[in-house]
Amino acid sequence: MRRNLRWAVAGLTTFVAFAVPVWLCAAVVLPSLLKDPAIRWALASALGTVMASLAAVWGHGFATRAEGTTGRSASSVQATAERAVAIGRDNQGPVSTGDAQVPAQSPAVAPAAPQHPASSPVDAVTASGNRSIAIGGNNSGPLSTGDQPDSPRP
């Protein structure tokens, strides 16, 4: 739905959220309880204002959301194979999918991590191969899949 159309829907919803409660209260429900029309319409207008303000808050969020946003998270992080690792955002620690552990770098010896702005998660991160690593953001930690060039493959 285009942005202008969403704003029109939000405005129409806000108007209806004001007009319907005011008319129902002032013309249908309250005449039997309150005989003075000035009090009846003032009370109905106050209720309509509250309902319209709630509709306006909803309408603003509805009209300004990004195109194609459904309100739920569309990201998917999956590690489907044996010893696979999938990380949806940035990684700062060591990751190993092999038999040997990756030694953690000591803070005194480790080079300064590059200062990357926080990355937003990607829509899908999938590590589907054995011992695979998939990272959806920036990596600043050591990685190891356990594959050694000089060792025989299992």
Side-chain angles (χ1 to χ4, degrees):
M1 185 181 296
R2 291 188 337 202
R3 179 163 284 200
N4 291 339
L5 184 57
R6 287 194 310 252
W7 274 111
V9 169
L12 182 63
T13 302
T14 302
F15 173 75
V16 169
F18 175 78
V20 170
V22 168
W23 178 78
L24 281 175
C25 286
V28 177
V29 175
L30 291 178
S32 62
L33 300 173
L34 300 171
K35 299 299 177 199
D36 187 7
I39 295 174
R40 188 172 62 227
W41 282 99
L43 188 61
S45 295
L47 176 66
T49 302
V50 169
M51 297 300 290
S53 65
L54 292 174
V57 170
W58 169 84
H60 180 268
F62 174 73
T64 59
R65 73 179 182 201
E67 195 71 36
T69 303
T70 60
R72 57 192 151 108
S73 176
S75 65
S76 171
V77 178
Q78 297 177 356
T80 58
E82 180 181 346
R83 292 188 177 185
V85 176
I87 301 170
R89 293 186 185 258
D90 294 343
N91 175 54
Q92 297 176 353
V95 176
S96 174
T97 61
D99 295 328
Q101 295 291 325
V102 175
Q105 297 176 347
S106 68
V109 183
Q115 296 298 322
H116 299 292
S119 65
S120 61
V122 294
D123 286 339
V125 176
T126 303
S128 58
N130 287 342
R131 295 185 179 190
S132 62
I133 299 172
I135 299 174
N138 298 316
N139 180 53
S140 60
L143 303 174
S144 172
T145 59
D147 299 330
Q148 303 298 324
D150 297 335
S151 65
R153 302 214 178 225

